[in-house]
């Protein structure tokens, strides 16, 4: 990997590892709909000038249905589900559950008719990944299981988003697509939000929201596209295995979240499972399963 590629990889690992910490800080003071609205609106404002500089939006006339579907499953649903889930669970737990996205992408692709053959190694990976989810969810069976399911649905949304992007949106300019989807998501949450802040949130919450919009959304998307251009989608997908480690470290160091044997076991099972589940021979084409946190 080139020095530029390594720098982009390290930056994106941070940008897609800390959103769960920032969401946890923000959702303590503002409603979930307002948080997602603010995040998408800020991200759209940052990206829109670059999208406009790329030229025409003629592609939207013919691909609006795929764009709308991508917006819903990549931003509208998962960002709301993750923020709502983090009202009840630790940010590190949310980050680990989202690490299932690559394995879920493989499973969904198969269910949607992909003729890609899964060998023993990849089936083992899927099994290990879901075993890790079970270990992580086990302490919540007394009352928090629905929250875990929420986050897993978000991971499934991300997986579906990567499939939609690879099958129907390959030729769409990346920053323009992201800006359009962010605007769409912001409009939806502006309409849906019935709990706008009645008092000014603290600087901690405001900083978390701005950080989510500017760094973890606008700059993160731009960094990902540069990284794919630099090292290719096959190697860029490895980011999915590094970002969860950042989310766990951030939760433990900043929020004093617990780091017990169950979390360490789940971490190992989910990451090993995702790696094996998405493994392929060098000559096989791949679909990028990286998600925007």
């Amino acid at each position: 990997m080139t020095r530029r590629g390594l720098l982009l990889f390290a930056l994106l690992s941070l940008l897609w590892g800390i959103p769960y910490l920032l969401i946890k800080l923000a959702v303590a003071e503002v409603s979930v709909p307002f948080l997602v609205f603010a995040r998408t609106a800020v991200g759209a404002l940052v990206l829109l000038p670059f999208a406009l500089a790329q030229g025409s939006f003629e592609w939207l006339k013919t691909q609006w249905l795929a764009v709308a579907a991508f917006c819903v499953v990549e931003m509208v649903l998962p960002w709301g589900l993750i923020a709502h889930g983090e009202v009840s669970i630790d940010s590190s737990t949310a980050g680990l559950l989202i690490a299932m996205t690559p394995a879920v992408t493989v499973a969904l692709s198969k269910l949607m008719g992909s003729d890609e053959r899964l060998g023993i190694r990849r089936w083992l990976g899927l099994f290990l990944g879901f075993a890790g989810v079970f270990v992580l969810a086990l302490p919540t069976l007394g009352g928090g299981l629905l929250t875990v399911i929420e986050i897993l649905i978000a991971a499934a949304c991300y997986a579906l988003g990567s499939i939609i992007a690879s099958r129907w949106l390959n030729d769409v300019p990346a920053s323009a697509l992201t800006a359009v989807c962010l605007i769409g998501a912001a409009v939806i949450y502006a309409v849906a939000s019935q709990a706008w802040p009645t008092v000014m949130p603290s600087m901690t919450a405001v900083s978390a929201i701005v950080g989510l919009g500017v760094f973890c959304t606008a700059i993160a998307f731009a960094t990902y596209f540069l990284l794919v251009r630099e090292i290719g989608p096959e190697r860029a997908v490895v980011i999915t295995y590094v970002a969860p480690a950042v989310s766990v470290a951030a939760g433990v160091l900043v929020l004093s979240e617990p780091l017990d044997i169950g979390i360490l076991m789940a971490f190992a099972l989910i990451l090993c499972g995702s790696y094996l589940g998405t493994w392929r021979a060098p000559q096989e084409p791949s679909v990028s399963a990286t998600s925007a946190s």
Side-chain angles (χ1 to χ4, degrees), residues 66-92:
V67 171
F70 181 79
C71 172
V72 169
V73 301
E74 189 71 15
M75 297 178 186
V76 175
L77 290 178
W79 289 356
L81 288 168
I82 292 170
H84 187 265
E86 287 201 46
V87 173
S88 306
I89 65 173
D90 291 338
S91 64
S92 54

PDB file of all heavy atoms in Angstrom, residues 66-92:
ATOM      1  N   ALA A  66     -33.345   3.976  -8.010  1.00  0.00           N
ATOM      2  CA  ALA A  66     -32.216   3.355  -7.314  1.00  0.00           C
ATOM      3  C   ALA A  66     -31.614   4.323  -6.305  1.00  0.00           C
ATOM      4  O   ALA A  66     -31.208   3.920  -5.207  1.00  0.00           O
ATOM      5  CB  ALA A  66     -31.163   2.900  -8.319  1.00  0.00           C
ATOM      6  N   VAL A  67     -31.551   5.614  -6.667  1.00  0.00           N
ATOM      7  CA  VAL A  67     -31.013   6.629  -5.756  1.00  0.00           C
ATOM      8  C   VAL A  67     -31.889   6.740  -4.513  1.00  0.00           C
ATOM      9  O   VAL A  67     -31.389   6.805  -3.383  1.00  0.00           O
ATOM     10  CB  VAL A  67     -30.907   8.004  -6.463  1.00  0.00           C
ATOM     11  CG1 VAL A  67     -30.565   9.093  -5.458  1.00  0.00           C
ATOM     12  CG2 VAL A  67     -29.866   7.949  -7.566  1.00  0.00           C
ATOM     13  N   ALA A  68     -33.208   6.752  -4.710  1.00  0.00           N
ATOM     14  CA  ALA A  68     -34.132   6.834  -3.577  1.00  0.00           C
ATOM     15  C   ALA A  68     -33.981   5.621  -2.665  1.00  0.00           C
ATOM     16  O   ALA A  68     -33.952   5.747  -1.437  1.00  0.00           O
ATOM     17  CB  ALA A  68     -35.569   6.954  -4.074  1.00  0.00           C
ATOM     18  N   ALA A  69     -33.883   4.437  -3.271  1.00  0.00           N
ATOM     19  CA  ALA A  69     -33.718   3.214  -2.476  1.00  0.00           C
ATOM     20  C   ALA A  69     -32.406   3.254  -1.701  1.00  0.00           C
ATOM     21  O   ALA A  69     -32.350   2.885  -0.514  1.00  0.00           O
ATOM     22  CB  ALA A  69     -33.760   1.991  -3.389  1.00  0.00           C
ATOM     23  N   PHE A  70     -31.341   3.710  -2.362  1.00  0.00           N
ATOM     24  CA  PHE A  70     -30.038   3.807  -1.703  1.00  0.00           C
ATOM     25  C   PHE A  70     -30.091   4.786  -0.535  1.00  0.00           C
ATOM     26  O   PHE A  70     -29.557   4.510   0.549  1.00  0.00           O
ATOM     27  CB  PHE A  70     -28.990   4.255  -2.719  1.00  0.00           C
ATOM     28  CG  PHE A  70     -27.603   4.370  -2.157  1.00  0.00           C
ATOM     29  CD1 PHE A  70     -26.813   3.244  -1.963  1.00  0.00           C
ATOM     30  CD2 PHE A  70     -27.074   5.610  -1.820  1.00  0.00           C
ATOM     31  CE1 PHE A  70     -25.532   3.345  -1.435  1.00  0.00           C
ATOM     32  CE2 PHE A  70     -25.795   5.728  -1.301  1.00  0.00           C
ATOM     33  CZ  PHE A  70     -25.025   4.599  -1.116  1.00  0.00           C
ATOM     34  N   CYS A  71     -30.751   5.920  -0.738  1.00  0.00           N
ATOM     35  CA  CYS A  71     -30.886   6.930   0.319  1.00  0.00           C
ATOM     36  C   CYS A  71     -31.581   6.337   1.549  1.00  0.00           C
ATOM     37  O   CYS A  71     -31.140   6.534   2.682  1.00  0.00           O
ATOM     38  CB  CYS A  71     -31.666   8.127  -0.219  1.00  0.00           C
ATOM     39  SG  CYS A  71     -32.094   9.355   1.029  1.00  0.00           S
ATOM     40  N   VAL A  72     -32.651   5.591   1.308  1.00  0.00           N
ATOM     41  CA  VAL A  72     -33.430   5.037   2.416  1.00  0.00           C
ATOM     42  C   VAL A  72     -32.633   4.000   3.197  1.00  0.00           C
ATOM     43  O   VAL A  72     -32.588   4.032   4.434  1.00  0.00           O
ATOM     44  CB  VAL A  72     -34.751   4.433   1.894  1.00  0.00           C
ATOM     45  CG1 VAL A  72     -35.446   3.624   2.993  1.00  0.00           C
ATOM     46  CG2 VAL A  72     -35.675   5.535   1.396  1.00  0.00           C
ATOM     47  N   VAL A  73     -31.982   3.070   2.481  1.00  0.00           N
ATOM     48  CA  VAL A  73     -31.325   1.958   3.186  1.00  0.00           C
ATOM     49  C   VAL A  73     -29.908   2.290   3.636  1.00  0.00           C
ATOM     50  O   VAL A  73     -29.359   1.596   4.506  1.00  0.00           O
ATOM     51  CB  VAL A  73     -31.306   0.666   2.320  1.00  0.00           C
ATOM     52  CG1 VAL A  73     -32.717   0.244   1.973  1.00  0.00           C
ATOM     53  CG2 VAL A  73     -30.475   0.847   1.061  1.00  0.00           C
ATOM     54  N   GLU A  74     -29.300   3.324   3.070  1.00  0.00           N
ATOM     55  CA  GLU A  74     -27.931   3.668   3.472  1.00  0.00           C
ATOM     56  C   GLU A  74     -27.874   4.787   4.496  1.00  0.00           C
ATOM     57  O   GLU A  74     -26.903   4.886   5.251  1.00  0.00           O
ATOM     58  CB  GLU A  74     -27.121   4.069   2.227  1.00  0.00           C
ATOM     59  CG  GLU A  74     -25.634   4.233   2.462  1.00  0.00           C
ATOM     60  CD  GLU A  74     -24.897   2.921   2.695  1.00  0.00           C
ATOM     61  OE1 GLU A  74     -25.467   1.845   2.410  1.00  0.00           O
ATOM     62  OE2 GLU A  74     -23.745   2.983   3.174  1.00  0.00           O
ATOM     63  N   MET A  75     -28.936   5.610   4.568  1.00  0.00           N
ATOM     64  CA  MET A  75     -28.912   6.763   5.473  1.00  0.00           C
ATOM     65  C   MET A  75     -30.168   6.859   6.337  1.00  0.00           C
ATOM     66  O   MET A  75     -30.078   6.860   7.567  1.00  0.00           O
ATOM     67  CB  MET A  75     -28.729   8.061   4.667  1.00  0.00           C
ATOM     68  CG  MET A  75     -27.425   8.130   3.918  1.00  0.00           C
ATOM     69  SD  MET A  75     -27.289   9.649   2.941  1.00  0.00           S
ATOM     70  CE  MET A  75     -25.768   9.335   2.054  1.00  0.00           C
ATOM     71  N   VAL A  76     -31.335   6.947   5.718  1.00  0.00           N
ATOM     72  CA  VAL A  76     -32.563   7.228   6.463  1.00  0.00           C
ATOM     73  C   VAL A  76     -32.812   6.180   7.540  1.00  0.00           C
ATOM     74  O   VAL A  76     -32.984   6.515   8.725  1.00  0.00           O
ATOM     75  CB  VAL A  76     -33.770   7.318   5.505  1.00  0.00           C
ATOM     76  CG1 VAL A  76     -35.065   7.480   6.313  1.00  0.00           C
ATOM     77  CG2 VAL A  76     -33.604   8.479   4.536  1.00  0.00           C
ATOM     78  N   LEU A  77     -32.853   4.924   7.172  1.00  0.00           N
ATOM     79  CA  LEU A  77     -33.166   3.868   8.145  1.00  0.00           C
ATOM     80  C   LEU A  77     -32.017   3.574   9.114  1.00  0.00           C
ATOM     81  O   LEU A  77     -32.215   3.611  10.333  1.00  0.00           O
ATOM     82  CB  LEU A  77     -33.598   2.596   7.422  1.00  0.00           C
ATOM     83  CG  LEU A  77     -34.957   2.644   6.723  1.00  0.00           C
ATOM     84  CD1 LEU A  77     -35.228   1.327   6.003  1.00  0.00           C
ATOM     85  CD2 LEU A  77     -36.070   2.931   7.716  1.00  0.00           C
ATOM     86  N   PRO A  78     -30.801   3.276   8.617  1.00  0.00           N
ATOM     87  CA  PRO A  78     -29.757   2.866   9.573  1.00  0.00           C
ATOM     88  C   PRO A  78     -29.340   3.962  10.544  1.00  0.00           C
ATOM     89  O   PRO A  78     -29.092   3.675  11.721  1.00  0.00           O
ATOM     90  CB  PRO A  78     -28.590   2.446   8.664  1.00  0.00           C
ATOM     91  CG  PRO A  78     -28.842   3.122   7.373  1.00  0.00           C
ATOM     92  CD  PRO A  78     -30.324   3.187   7.222  1.00  0.00           C
ATOM     93  N   TRP A  79     -29.257   5.209  10.089  1.00  0.00           N
ATOM     94  CA  TRP A  79     -28.816   6.263  11.008  1.00  0.00           C
ATOM     95  C   TRP A  79     -29.852   6.521  12.093  1.00  0.00           C
ATOM     96  O   TRP A  79     -29.500   6.810  13.231  1.00  0.00           O
ATOM     97  CB  TRP A  79     -28.501   7.533  10.224  1.00  0.00           C
ATOM     98  CG  TRP A  79     -27.254   7.380   9.400  1.00  0.00           C
ATOM     99  CD1 TRP A  79     -26.417   6.304   9.386  1.00  0.00           C
ATOM    100  CD2 TRP A  79     -26.702   8.308   8.469  1.00  0.00           C
ATOM    101  NE1 TRP A  79     -25.380   6.507   8.505  1.00  0.00           N
ATOM    102  CE2 TRP A  79     -25.528   7.728   7.927  1.00  0.00           C
ATOM    103  CE3 TRP A  79     -27.091   9.577   8.035  1.00  0.00           C
ATOM    104  CZ2 TRP A  79     -24.738   8.375   6.977  1.00  0.00           C
ATOM    105  CZ3 TRP A  79     -26.293  10.222   7.087  1.00  0.00           C
ATOM    106  CH2 TRP A  79     -25.130   9.630   6.567  1.00  0.00           C
ATOM    107  N   GLY A  80     -31.125   6.381  11.754  1.00  0.00           N
ATOM    108  CA  GLY A  80     -32.155   6.499  12.777  1.00  0.00           C
ATOM    109  C   GLY A  80     -32.132   5.333  13.741  1.00  0.00           C
ATOM    110  O   GLY A  80     -32.247   5.499  14.958  1.00  0.00           O
ATOM    111  N   LEU A  81     -31.966   4.110  13.197  1.00  0.00           N
ATOM    112  CA  LEU A  81     -31.951   2.911  14.041  1.00  0.00           C
ATOM    113  C   LEU A  81     -30.750   2.901  14.980  1.00  0.00           C
ATOM    114  O   LEU A  81     -30.872   2.554  16.166  1.00  0.00           O
ATOM    115  CB  LEU A  81     -31.939   1.660  13.158  1.00  0.00           C
ATOM    116  CG  LEU A  81     -33.245   1.335  12.436  1.00  0.00           C
ATOM    117  CD1 LEU A  81     -33.014   0.251  11.381  1.00  0.00           C
ATOM    118  CD2 LEU A  81     -34.313   0.895  13.423  1.00  0.00           C
ATOM    119  N   ILE A  82     -29.586   3.265  14.455  1.00  0.00           N
ATOM    120  CA  ILE A  82     -28.380   3.266  15.294  1.00  0.00           C
ATOM    121  C   ILE A  82     -28.498   4.292  16.419  1.00  0.00           C
ATOM    122  O   ILE A  82     -28.202   4.002  17.586  1.00  0.00           O
ATOM    123  CB  ILE A  82     -27.128   3.539  14.444  1.00  0.00           C
ATOM    124  CG1 ILE A  82     -26.869   2.365  13.498  1.00  0.00           C
ATOM    125  CG2 ILE A  82     -25.906   3.771  15.337  1.00  0.00           C
ATOM    126  CD1 ILE A  82     -25.811   2.639  12.445  1.00  0.00           C
ATOM    127  N   ALA A  83     -28.960   5.499  16.075  1.00  0.00           N
ATOM    128  CA  ALA A  83     -29.099   6.540  17.105  1.00  0.00           C
ATOM    129  C   ALA A  83     -30.118   6.130  18.154  1.00  0.00           C
ATOM    130  O   ALA A  83     -29.893   6.316  19.360  1.00  0.00           O
ATOM    131  CB  ALA A  83     -29.510   7.863  16.447  1.00  0.00           C
ATOM    132  N   HIS A  84     -31.247   5.550  17.722  1.00  0.00           N
ATOM    133  CA  HIS A  84     -32.255   5.095  18.679  1.00  0.00           C
ATOM    134  C   HIS A  84     -31.708   3.962  19.540  1.00  0.00           C
ATOM    135  O   HIS A  84     -31.960   3.899  20.753  1.00  0.00           O
ATOM    136  CB  HIS A  84     -33.518   4.647  17.947  1.00  0.00           C
ATOM    137  CG  HIS A  84     -34.653   4.324  18.853  1.00  0.00           C
ATOM    138  ND1 HIS A  84     -34.924   3.030  19.280  1.00  0.00           N
ATOM    139  CD2 HIS A  84     -35.586   5.114  19.453  1.00  0.00           C
ATOM    140  CE1 HIS A  84     -35.975   3.043  20.074  1.00  0.00           C
ATOM    141  NE2 HIS A  84     -36.391   4.292  20.205  1.00  0.00           N
ATOM    142  N   GLY A  85     -30.942   3.066  18.931  1.00  0.00           N
ATOM    143  CA  GLY A  85     -30.363   1.963  19.687  1.00  0.00           C
ATOM    144  C   GLY A  85     -29.384   2.435  20.737  1.00  0.00           C
ATOM    145  O   GLY A  85     -29.317   1.883  21.844  1.00  0.00           O
ATOM    146  N   GLU A  86     -28.621   3.494  20.420  1.00  0.00           N
ATOM    147  CA  GLU A  86     -27.613   3.967  21.359  1.00  0.00           C
ATOM    148  C   GLU A  86     -28.200   4.744  22.537  1.00  0.00           C
ATOM    149  O   GLU A  86     -27.473   5.127  23.450  1.00  0.00           O
ATOM    150  CB  GLU A  86     -26.564   4.808  20.628  1.00  0.00           C
ATOM    151  CG  GLU A  86     -25.641   3.971  19.780  1.00  0.00           C
ATOM    152  CD  GLU A  86     -24.333   4.680  19.474  1.00  0.00           C
ATOM    153  OE1 GLU A  86     -23.731   5.254  20.414  1.00  0.00           O
ATOM    154  OE2 GLU A  86     -23.912   4.651  18.305  1.00  0.00           O
ATOM    155  N   VAL A  87     -29.499   4.944  22.525  1.00  0.00           N
ATOM    156  CA  VAL A  87     -30.145   5.462  23.726  1.00  0.00           C
ATOM    157  C   VAL A  87     -30.028   4.426  24.847  1.00  0.00           C
ATOM    158  O   VAL A  87     -29.942   4.765  26.023  1.00  0.00           O
ATOM    159  CB  VAL A  87     -31.623   5.801  23.459  1.00  0.00           C
ATOM    160  CG1 VAL A  87     -32.346   6.181  24.741  1.00  0.00           C
ATOM    161  CG2 VAL A  87     -31.733   6.925  22.431  1.00  0.00           C
ATOM    162  N   SER A  88     -30.001   3.138  24.454  1.00  0.00           N
ATOM    163  CA  SER A  88     -30.051   2.048  25.429  1.00  0.00           C
ATOM    164  C   SER A  88     -28.763   1.256  25.561  1.00  0.00           C
ATOM    165  O   SER A  88     -28.506   0.677  26.612  1.00  0.00           O
ATOM    166  CB  SER A  88     -31.184   1.074  25.062  1.00  0.00           C
ATOM    167  OG  SER A  88     -32.410   1.757  24.929  1.00  0.00           O
ATOM    168  N   ILE A  89     -27.953   1.179  24.502  1.00  0.00           N
ATOM    169  CA  ILE A  89     -26.758   0.336  24.567  1.00  0.00           C
ATOM    170  C   ILE A  89     -25.499   1.176  24.419  1.00  0.00           C
ATOM    171  O   ILE A  89     -25.540   2.323  23.978  1.00  0.00           O
ATOM    172  CB  ILE A  89     -26.777  -0.774  23.497  1.00  0.00           C
ATOM    173  CG1 ILE A  89     -26.704  -0.163  22.092  1.00  0.00           C
ATOM    174  CG2 ILE A  89     -27.980  -1.663  23.656  1.00  0.00           C
ATOM    175  CD1 ILE A  89     -26.557  -1.204  21.004  1.00  0.00           C
ATOM    176  N   ASP A  90     -24.357   0.572  24.761  1.00  0.00           N
ATOM    177  CA  ASP A  90     -23.076   1.266  24.676  1.00  0.00           C
ATOM    178  C   ASP A  90     -22.695   1.528  23.225  1.00  0.00           C
ATOM    179  O   ASP A  90     -23.054   0.768  22.316  1.00  0.00           O
ATOM    180  CB  ASP A  90     -21.973   0.430  25.335  1.00  0.00           C
ATOM    181  CG  ASP A  90     -22.135   0.356  26.850  1.00  0.00           C
ATOM    182  OD1 ASP A  90     -22.802   1.246  27.408  1.00  0.00           O
ATOM    183  OD2 ASP A  90     -21.584  -0.585  27.456  1.00  0.00           O
ATOM    184  N   SER A  91     -21.925   2.577  23.013  1.00  0.00           N
ATOM    185  CA  SER A  91     -21.469   2.896  21.654  1.00  0.00           C
ATOM    186  C   SER A  91     -20.571   1.803  21.101  1.00  0.00           C
ATOM    187  O   SER A  91     -20.601   1.495  19.910  1.00  0.00           O
ATOM    188  CB  SER A  91     -20.723   4.231  21.661  1.00  0.00           C
ATOM    189  OG  SER A  91     -19.545   4.159  22.451  1.00  0.00           O
ATOM    190  N   SER A  92     -19.749   1.193  21.961  1.00  0.00           N
ATOM    191  CA  SER A  92     -18.851   0.131  21.505  1.00  0.00           C
ATOM    192  C   SER A  92     -19.630  -1.094  21.042  1.00  0.00           C
ATOM    193  O   SER A  92     -19.257  -1.754  20.063  1.00  0.00           O
ATOM    194  CB  SER A  92     -17.874  -0.257  22.618  1.00  0.00           C
ATOM    195  OG  SER A  92     -18.572  -0.594  23.810  1.00  0.00           O
TER     196      SER A  92
END
